[in-house]
Amino acid sequence: MPFDHRSAVAVVLAAAAALATATTPAHAHEAPAADRVLRVYNNNIENLVTNNADGTCTRIQGPDHLTSMLVDDDGRTGTSGVQAPDLLIVQQIRGTGQATAYADQLGAKFGYPAGTYGAIVAWDDPEVWGSTHKCSQQSLGDLKKRQTNAIIYNTRTLSLAAGDISKYWSAGWLKPGTSYRGGAGCTLYKPPDNDDGTTNAYKWKRTSAIAARFTIRQTGTTVFAATMHLPEQNGQNACAGAGDTGIASSGIHLGADATSLMNASTIRVVGIDANRTNIAPTTLGGFGMTGYGAKPTMGSRKIDYLFVKGAVRPSPIDHTVSGTKSNHLALYGFIEF
């Protein structure tokens, strides 16, 4: 059975509400409009283990990764101008344990107590899959065997009701050996249409997506955020479900719960490792969203995307953080509200 997000986050939400009420009453002391900015990042953090060209792997500490990803208003990392983010949309994290630790490391960078940043995961503790994960050191490969996706949010600036977390939804794929036939061969990537064999039996869980609707405490503005990780097969054949090529034949689709939350939100943010190049910035235009960042995000390929509905500030670095300590470069958007 999928992780029960609503019951699992109830305690966190209650604690977060108490903390936020003590520090930032809703709608109180509103900042001038020019100073109201929602700081959003997207990155596939690769379980904080990077793959090197020589077959070795390198473990990255959470604080080091965060320092390499977070930027100031001029797109620079590691400066005194870097401010606390509001949303981190991440892919390929091990589960609640790693997500919570990473969230607390983020809070500590800005002098906040543990629990200031909350974490929503598609799967609490996904089962292991795969073998070496292309790491010559088995201990590091083992750290990549559990994979899910998460949204990390700042409870000082964002509130979240238990009913505003979507159910997870599955990605689509073309099972190896199946004829594509213009998308007719596509299926949902979950049992019984997932990988054959025990080694990869749970690989599909790394592509489970999840979304939530937040409220900006300062103004009451609603914010939708979703995290997705599409299968490698999407690079060759766009699949979003049974006989479905996805939005604009991109392989992207939104679950029913997520769509309802999105439709009830003013600002909308979707972060994706799509494993597919040439997804146009206008792909989610029907939902009012535009893609930001055009540079390659993994080697010479752009396969990671950040779509936003909102007033995104221009970026001197194309919304793409070149020094990110992951195999994927981070994307960011600073949204005025």
Side-chain angles (χ1 to χ4, degrees):
M1 294 293 291
F3 179 50
D4 186 346
H5 317 286
R6 292 169 175 79
S7 61
V9 300
V11 174
V12 175
L13 292 174
L19 174 65
T21 299
T23 57
T24 312
H27 309 282
H29 310 295
E30 288 190 9
D35 298 330
R36 296 204 301 256
V37 181
L38 189 76
R39 299 176 188 275
V40 179
Y41 295 81
N42 176 74
N43 189 225
N44 181 334
I45 70 172
E46 291 275 354
N47 298 100
L48 296 178
V49 177
T50 60
N51 291 91
N52 304 315
D54 63 359
T56 63
C57 287
T58 302
R59 186 173 187 179
I60 307 299
Q61 298 301 315
D64 292 338
H65 176 265
L66 289 161
T67 297
S68 76
M69 178 178 69
L70 304 180
V71 297
D72 63 16
D73 288 344
D74 295 318
R76 298 173 300 174
T77 60
T79 74
S80 60
V82 175
Q83 297 186 43
D86 300 292
L87 283 170
L88 265 64
I89 299 169
V90 300
Q91 298 85 41
Q92 205 167 315
I93 198 163
R94 283 192 287 278
T96 296
Q98 187 179 34
T100 301
Y102 184 70
D104 286 344
Q105 289 168 341
L106 173 59
K109 287 184 69 67
F110 297 95
Y112 300 152
T116 299
Y117 281 90
I120 302 164
V121 298
W123 293 94
D124 177 38
D125 187 24
E127 295 86 348
V128 301
W129 67 273
S131 53
T132 66
H133 286 271
K134 300 179 181 180
C135 292
S136 58
Q137 312 97 312
Q138 187 61 56
S139 61
L140 296 183
D142 289 345
L143 292 176
K144 302 187 81 167
K145 286 186 174 182
R146 299 180 190 272
Q147 298 180 17
T148 189
N149 306 301
I151 301 169
I152 295 169
Y153 65 100
N154 190 342
T155 66
R156 293 170 61 92
T157 56
L158 298 171
S159 64
L160 176 63
D164 283 347
I165 302 172
S166 78
K167 296 178 181 177
Y168 85 85
W169 70 96
S170 296
W173 81 321
L174 185 73
K175 194 168 185 176
T178 304
S179 174
Y180 186 58
R181 304 192 312 280
C186 296
T187 58
L188 276 179
Y189 187 23
K190 66 177 184 178
D193 296 315
N194 58 313
D195 295 86
D196 294 325
T198 57
T199 300
N200 291 323
Y202 295 101
K203 186 178 180 181
W204 68 277
K205 286 194 171 181
R206 84 179 191 138
T207 65
S208 298
I210 195 167
R213 181 182 64 177
F214 303 89
T215 301
I216 299 176
R217 295 183 183 278
Q218 197 174 55
T219 61
T221 308
T222 49
V223 179
F224 171 83
T227 178
M228 302 184 205
H229 187 182
L230 306 186
E232 300 96 321
Q233 289 82 1
N234 195 56
Q236 296 299 318
N237 298 289
C239 285
D244 183 7
T245 62
I247 301 166
S249 296
S250 64
I252 300 170
H253 81 285
L254 292 166
D257 281 2
T259 299
S260 294
L261 294 174
M262 179 189 66
N263 289 339
S265 300
T266 301
I267 295 173
R268 302 171 183 179
V269 183
V270 175
I272 310 173
D273 171 2
N275 266 308
R276 184 177 183 85
T277 60
N278 298 319
I279 295 180
T282 56
T283 297
L284 300 185
F287 304 112
M289 287 181 268
T290 299
Y292 289 87
K295 295 179 180 178
T297 58
M298 189 176 188
S300 62
R301 301 183 301 150
K302 177 175 176 57
I303 62 172
D304 301 271
Y305 300 86
L306 181 66
F307 293 95
V308 180
K309 178 184 179 183
V312 178
R313 288 181 171 178
S315 165
I317 60 169
D318 183 49
H319 303 281
T320 309
V321 187
S322 61
T324 313
K325 289 190 174 182
S326 170
N327 290 121
H328 299 250
L329 300 186
L331 296 164
Y332 78 98
F334 293 167
I335 307 165
E336 296 179 351
F337 61 91

